[in-house]
Amino acid sequence: MRIGKSLSGYEQFALQFLFFGASAGFVYPSLLINSTKGAYWFPLATWAIAALLSCWLYSCLLARLQGRELVGMLNDSLGRLGSGLLLAPVFLFIAGSLTVMLRAYSELITMTMLPTTPLMFLNGMIVAAGALAWAGALPIARAAKVLMLFGAIFSLALMIAGISECKWSLGGPWLRTNGDFFGNKHFYAGSFIWMGFVFTALTGKYTPESSRRYRKSYTAAIAVGALWSAGFIYLPVLTFGPELSRRLTFPYVSKMDSIYHYWIVFENMTAIFISVTMFYVLLVMAMKLHALGESVKSLFPAFKSSWIYVVLSVLFYAAASAIPSWRDLEHQVFNSIGLRMYTMFVFPALGLGSLLHKRKRMEKRSA
Amino acid sequence: MTAHPFALLHRIREKENTSAPALVSLLEETFAGMSDFAKRPIGTIGSQPVFLCYLTSLVSSQRLSFAVEWEELTELSTRVDRYTGPPFAEGSRELCVDAICGGAAILCLEGTSAGLILDISDTQHRNVASPVTENVLQGPLYAFNEDLQTNFALIRQRIRSAKLKIWETKIGTASRTRTAICYYEGAVDIECLANVQAMLKNIVVDGLQDTGQLLRLLVAKKKMRLFPLAVSSERPDRAVAELLKGKLILLVDGSPFALILPAVYTDFWHSPEDLYVNVYVSYFLNALRFLAMFINLFLPAFYVALTSVNIDVNRLEISLAAAASREGVPYPVFIETFLMLIVIDFITEAGIRLPKTISSTVTMVGGVVLGQAIIQANIVSNLLVIIVAATAITNFIVIDYQMGLVQRVLKYFIAAGATIAGLLGIVFCFTCLVFYLSCLESFGTPYLTSLMRKKGTPSP
């Protein structure tokens, strides 16, 4: 029986890979292209390094859990109020990111494939994610391995199909940068694609060994994800040029629209891309819901798991349906930059500090 | 050494409690109204007559001959000496009733409350024959039959090791069906074995007829169990190969199928033949089966999606060709598709249930004549007939019969998804299917265990 065991390195890699697939193909290329006039790989590499730093912080925090869950441990060391305050921005970030992901994907479907289907109906896809989230972390990990297999094959095939129409001269400057992206809000807004490891940190029990595995697998996933994201950014730039790409809301989706080969049976590659993205989106939504649901369960053990997931699914369905327009969704991406920075760097540092403080206090008391 | 039966009968007479009711009359009372119950006097001990009680339908007439095919003047001890079979056992009323129901005969003195149990049972079963549902061109050509002892022998002949263990119990308050777990010590997961043993002990049912019923009883507590959680096989070679991998084999007396558990999703796609052919050919055949699975599940759904919801996804030429083939068809695509899928399932079911001599005619009439007529009548498009035919053929590639049945059901589910949301509906249904499979466990083992084999485990 594997119930109760922690995720393997490959499963964590698959989850992070799917996280990139779910979020890097839509708004992200536009954000990154608009963040700099220099080489695009600089901001990309900068975020990859920042993500590695955040991942390292989380792994240091997880190594001190001694076989316990993060939220439960924080609850014990800081009390319910203290841990609640520390975790509130993280919960807010997860809730926001889940709502944005659901609504953004539904919007994209209505924009490209099913223009007459109501958004309220499409948002209902959260039911499948909610059911998987309720089933637990191991079913999520198993599903992730299968979906990564299918998703990666299709996504890679689409990328390869798109390469033939690229003009390499349009990708320049390849090396020059003046660091202008550091002062651009688009650069910070694009942070959401690098945070897959946060969700698994909030669920499951960790030991020093499993936290080492966590760091290794996410380091590998971030390296692969950076290359993957580079594909999402450079393919439209090499096809349309930087100027036109800057004006496009979904550069990669537009790139998919431009693919034409006489030997490809399908004509509308956008439909294929959007359909394949569903593999990623549903699983990542399940992962986010599970992280939130398990955290709530750790803080309020008396609550029944099934009800937590039902209530969360209904809440996010309502929230995603309540967003008035696409522009409001874009604002949400920019408005939550602070929450994301807190979740990536401040929360693990504070958590680490609180656990170290508790340990010192215990040592003093025992001395 | 076993005591002489005659001496045992004497001992029973000597220690007899006179107040206890006589066994012969109790047996007569218990088996009253049963036309196959026989009470035959076969001699005397002193002045007391000795009876042999049995059910004529369950005993072997050949093994009964020691008692009945002798002249009346022959000494009883001489007759009893001619008995060949397992050693005698002494039993009271309950044991004797159970033994008679199991095919034994009871030798008892008039007036005594106990008797001697003589195992002269004869179970009716087929001879060992070729497998019916798991045909191979390369490999052993015999299958399990309905006799549990024969099935044990077929397994034992392939594993000549003391590590092969057999644990047995009886299930069914009325049928008292012998049910056995075979496992290979050292390879088996002890926790899984203990769980299954406990589950078997806890089954309460009147009668057990087949391993399929046993599987239903084992997983009765699990809701939404669409997929089979154990492989059903009639091939001893396959059962033995799985035993050596550490799996459990469940055998039921009266069933020619063995249950192999725990089973993961990919187990249902391996043919026993895979072990006997070139490894690369085996990989190719596995790939072919998975391709067939996807075609079977998704082809009708793709037809619905690409001709009614996502018309722009296809090349214009293909879309025009599809539209031309539907010219004159009065129904929407999904009704046309569901109609044809149901018709082809009718034909499949009729082909399976009918006698072999008629089934080929039905398949011919259903497949060719009906197909041609339905196109000419403009009820469905000719493109759909091709699609439905391909779907039906790919369903027969599924190795496991139960998995094939699940596939037949699931294609409707995915076609319904395609009707509602086109390509996205297909992907959504497929993802839901993956989610469902990832939640399943077969007796403690995740159903979606990795496709890749871990190092150190036996190769396919």
Side-chain angles (χ1 to χ4, degrees), chain A residues 1 3 105 109 113 121 128 132 135 139 142-143 146-147 150 261-262 264-268 271 275 278-279 282, chain B residues 191 294 306 309-310 312-315 318 420 423-424 427-428 430-432 434-435 438-439 441 444 446 448 451:
Chain A
M1 291 271 279
I3 289 171
Y105 187 59
I109 291 170
M113 287 180 78
F121 175 76
L132 183 66
R142 283 177 218 141
V146 178
L147 295 181
F150 286 100
H261 294 291
Y262 72 93
I264 296 180
V265 182
F266 299 109
E267 206 162 69
N268 186 349
S275 302
M278 187 176 263
F279 290 145
L282 285 180
Chain B
E191 194 185 342
F294 284 112
L306 298 179
V309 184
N310 303 107
D312 58 327
V313 171
N314 253 332
R315 280 285 175 83
I318 301 170
I420 295 165
L423 278 181
L424 276 168
V427 176
F428 181 76
F430 175 68
T431 312
C432 288
V434 172
F435 286 180
S438 68
C439 298
E441 287 195 354
L448 278 189
L451 295 174

Side-chain angles (χ1 to χ4, degrees), chain B residues 58-75:
Chain B
L58 291 180
V59 296
S60 156
S61 54
Q62 203 178 355
R63 292 171 75 184
L64 192 63
S65 63
F66 80 95
V68 295
E69 288 176 8
W70 289 79
E71 288 174 16
E72 279 189 12
L73 292 173
T74 312
E75 277 295 312

Side-chain angles (χ1 to χ4, degrees), chain A residues 251-280:
Chain A
Y252 192 72
V253 176
S254 304
K255 164 69 199 175
M256 288 292 113
D257 255 340
S258 73
I259 296 173
Y260 178 83
H261 294 291
Y262 72 93
W263 46 269
I264 296 180
V265 182
F266 299 109
E267 206 162 69
N268 186 349
M269 301 306 261
T270 307
I272 310 287
F273 171 68
I274 301 289
S275 302
V276 170
T277 306
M278 187 176 263
F279 290 145
Y280 303 113

Side-chain angles (χ1 to χ4, degrees), chain A residues 275-330:
Chain A
S275 302
V276 170
T277 306
M278 187 176 263
F279 290 145
Y280 303 113
V281 170
L282 285 180
L283 194 115
V284 169
M285 283 201 303
M287 183 171 78
K288 288 178 176 179
L289 264 172
H290 182 71
L292 205 56
E294 287 305 294
S295 304
V296 172
K297 180 80 184 163
S298 296
L299 287 175
F300 305 98
F303 288 5
K304 214 175 162 187
S305 285
S306 55
W307 281 106
I308 291 174
Y309 288 104
V310 169
V311 170
L312 286 177
S313 301
V314 171
L315 275 177
F316 289 121
Y317 172 80
S321 304
I323 295 173
S325 67
W326 176 257
R327 289 292 156 220
D328 293 292
L329 209 68
E330 281 186 326

